[in-house]
C-alpha cells in the first residue's frame, strides 16, 4: 500500500507522455479540488512560446515512476502536423482541430501553397482521414 | 515548354508517353506509411535493366526496394512500411512510466524491415539492454513496452 501513495514532488517535474509515446512536455502544476480534496488534473508546459496545457484527471492513465502516462492524445499534438493525401501529395499543415465532446470531428488545414493575405482553408472531416501518425494521411487523392 | 522533341529508336516503344524517366524520380519526396518524411530520392538502382529500388537521402541514406512502394506519383513516393531505422533515437518507457533509455541500435539478422531486439541505453555510462520485439506494445512517437517486460 505504501507504494500506492505518492507526493506532489513525484508528479511535478515529470514528463507527460501520450498513448503514442510522444513526450508532450513537463508537468508544472497539480490541480486539487479543495472541497473534495481530489486531484482534478495537471498542467503541462509544452515548451518555449507554447501555451500550457491542462490535462484533466480523466485523461491520465497512470502516474508513473519517471513519467505521467496519458490515455488520450491531446488535440494540441495535431496542430502544425503535415497533411498528405494517400498518394503522397502534400496538402498543407493543420491549423486547428475541431472537437465535439472531446472527439475530433474536423481538421482545419492551411494549404501548402497559400498566397499571402489569402483566407483559403481546407476543412477536412475526420471521415476522410486514413491515419494520423507522423503526418495526417487522407483516404483519397486530393487536388489542392 | 521549349523541350526538344525526342526521337524514338526502339523495337518496343513508338513513343515515350506515360513512361517515367529517371529525372522524374530524382528529388522526389518519400514518405513512410505513417506519413513520416523519409527523405528525397537521390539515386536509382537497377537490376536486369529494371528498376530495383531507390536510394533515399534524408536523416539516413537508405536503399528502399521497389517492393515497399505503396504508391508512386509525380509528387511523392509512399511506402508501405515505416523504416525501422527511424526507431533509433526513440525513447523507451515501460508500462509503469519508467524511462528505460533511448534506442541506440537494432538487432536484425536480415536486410528486410524487421528486427529481433532493441538495444537500449539510459546514458553514456550505463550498459546496453536488449529488449525483444515481443515486449513492445506501442512503437510510434516513442516506444512503450507491454506488461510482459520484467
Amino acid at each position: 500500500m505504501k507504494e500506492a501513495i505518492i507526493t506532489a514532488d513525484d508528479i511535478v517535474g515529470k514528463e507527460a507522455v501520450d498513448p503514442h509515446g510522444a513526450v508532450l512536455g513537463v508537468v508544472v502544476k497539480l490541480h486539487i479540488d479543495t472541497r473534495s480534496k481530489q486531484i482534478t488534473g495537471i498542467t503541462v508546459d509544452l515548451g518555449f512560446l507554447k501555451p500550457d496545457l491542462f490535462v484533466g484527471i480523466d485523461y491520465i492513465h497512470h502516474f508513473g515512476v519517471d513519467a505521467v502516462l496519458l490515455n488520450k492524445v491531446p488535440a494540441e499534438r495535431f496542430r502544425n502536423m503535415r497533411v498528405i493525401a494517400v498518394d503522397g501529395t502534400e496538402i498543407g499543415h493543420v491549423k486547428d482541430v475541431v472537437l465535439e465532446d472531446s472527439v475530433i470531428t474536423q481538421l482545419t488545414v492551411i494549404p501548402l501553397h497559400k498566397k499571402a493575405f489569402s483566407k483559403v482553408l481546407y476543412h477536412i472531416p475526420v471521415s476522410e482521414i486514413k491515419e494520423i501518425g507522423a503526418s495526417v494521411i487522407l483516404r483519397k487523392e486530393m487536388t489542392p | 515548354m521549349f523541350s526538344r522533341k525526342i526521337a524514338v529508336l526502339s523495337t518496343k516503344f513508338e513513343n515515350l508517353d506515360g513512361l517515367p524517366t529517371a529525372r522524374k524520380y530524382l528529388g522526389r519526396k518519400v514518405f513512410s506509411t505513417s506519413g513520416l518524411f523519409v527523405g528525397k530520392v537521390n539515386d536509382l538502382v537497377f537490376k536486369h535493366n529494371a528498376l530495383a529500388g531507390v536510394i533515399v537521402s534524408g536523416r539516413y541514406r537508405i536503399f528502399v526496394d521497389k517492393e515497399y512502394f505503396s504508391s508512386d506519383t509525380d509528387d511523392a513516393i509512399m511506402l508501405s512500411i515505416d523504416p525501422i531505422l527511424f526507431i533509433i533515437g526513440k525513447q523507451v518507457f515501460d508500462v509503469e512510466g519508467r524511462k528505460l533509455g533511448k534506442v541506440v541500435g537494432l538487432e536484425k539478422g536480415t536486410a528486410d524491415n524487421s528486427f529481433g531486439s532493441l538495444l537500449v541505453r539510459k546514458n553514456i555510462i550505463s550498459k546496453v539492454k536488449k529488449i525483444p520485439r515481443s515486449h513492445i506494445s506501442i512503437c510510434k512517437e516513442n516506444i512503450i513496452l507491454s506488461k510482459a517486460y520484467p
Side-chain angles (χ1 to χ4, degrees), chain A residues 15 17-23 62 64-67 69 77 82 84 86-90 131 133-135 137, chain B residues 29 31-37 71 73 75-76 78 91 93-99 122 138 140-144:
Chain A
E15 288 173 330
V17 178
D18 76 10
H20 289 180
V23 177
H62 184 67
V65 176
D66 294 318
L69 302 177
R77 271 260 294 125
R82 193 197 313 248
I84 54 179
V86 70
D87 61 354
T89 309
E90 278 193 76
E131 185 182 341
S135 304
I137 302 174
Chain B
K29 289 182 180 176
F31 292 99
S32 75
T33 189
S34 67
L36 179 70
F37 177 63
S71 72
T73 64
D75 295 308
M78 288 292 284
Q91 296 191 55
F93 297 92
D94 72 5
V95 73
E96 296 294 320
R98 192 174 294 117
K99 191 189 284 191
K122 196 159 190 177
I138 291 164
K140 292 194 175 181
E141 289 288 325
N142 285 306
I143 293 164
I144 299 177

Side-chain angles (χ1 to χ4, degrees), chain A residues 26-39:
Chain A
V26 175
V27 178
V28 291
K29 286 181 194 167
L30 193 62
H31 298 256
I32 299 173
D33 185 326
T34 53
R35 286 168 292 184
S36 63
K37 302 183 192 83
Q38 304 272 349
I39 295 174

Side-chain angles (χ1 to χ4, degrees), chain B residues 40-145:
Chain B
K40 288 188 177 180
V41 176
N42 190 242
D43 208 343
L44 307 176
V45 179
F46 292 88
K47 186 180 178 183
H48 303 312
N49 298 325
L51 182 69
V54 296
I55 294 177
V56 181
S57 284
R59 183 175 154 194
Y60 299 101
R61 199 168 150 82
I62 314 170
F63 165 73
V64 182
D65 196 309
K66 205 173 60 165
E67 67 178 321
Y68 292 127
F69 287 16
S70 164
S71 72
D72 175 8
T73 64
D74 289 344
D75 295 308
I77 296 173
M78 288 292 284
L79 304 181
S80 58
I81 52 161
D82 281 314
I84 55 167
L85 279 177
F86 287 84
I87 294 177
I88 295 173
K90 291 192 177 182
Q91 296 191 55
V92 181
F93 297 92
D94 72 5
V95 73
E96 296 294 320
R98 192 174 294 117
K99 191 189 284 191
L100 301 177
K102 272 191 182 174
V103 179
V104 294
L106 301 168
E107 208 173 64
K108 57 201 298 290
T110 58
D112 64 4
N113 197 50
S114 63
F115 62 94
S117 309
L118 297 176
L119 303 174
V120 177
R121 189 164 65 182
K122 196 159 190 177
N123 49 52
I124 291 175
I125 57 172
S126 62
K127 277 187 181 178
V128 174
K129 283 184 207 169
K130 200 190 289 189
I131 297 175
R133 189 186 181 135
S134 54
H135 287 153
I136 297 171
S137 171
I138 291 164
C139 181
K140 292 194 175 181
E141 289 288 325
N142 285 306
I143 293 164
I144 299 177
L145 303 182

Side-chain angles (χ1 to χ4, degrees), chain A residues 29-135:
Chain A
K29 286 181 194 167
L30 193 62
H31 298 256
I32 299 173
D33 185 326
T34 53
R35 286 168 292 184
S36 63
K37 302 183 192 83
Q38 304 272 349
I39 295 174
T40 56
I42 56 174
T43 293
V44 180
D45 179 357
L46 299 180
F48 185 62
L49 292 180
K50 291 180 186 172
D52 291 347
L53 175 71
F54 171 76
V55 179
I57 191 69
D58 291 338
Y59 296 125
I60 296 172
H61 173 64
H62 184 67
F63 290 109
V65 176
D66 294 318
V68 177
L69 302 177
L70 308 184
N71 58 24
K72 196 179 170 80
V73 181
E76 291 298 318
R77 271 260 294 125
F78 303 125
R79 291 203 174 97
N80 296 318
M81 232 187 212
R82 193 197 313 248
V83 179
I84 54 179
V86 70
D87 61 354
T89 309
E90 278 193 76
I91 308 299
H93 285 84
V94 176
K95 179 183 184 232
D96 207 356
V97 179
V98 177
L99 299 168
E100 270 181 34
D101 294 329
S102 305
V103 175
I104 296 174
T105 54
Q106 196 179 74
L107 296 181
T108 304
V109 176
I110 300 175
L112 182 67
H113 301 293
K114 184 172 175 293
K115 292 179 184 171
F117 306 113
S118 165
K119 293 182 181 176
V120 172
L121 295 170
Y122 299 135
H123 299 280
I124 298 173
V126 74
S127 56
E128 288 185 20
I129 297 171
K130 181 187 173 196
E131 185 182 341
I132 300 180
S135 304

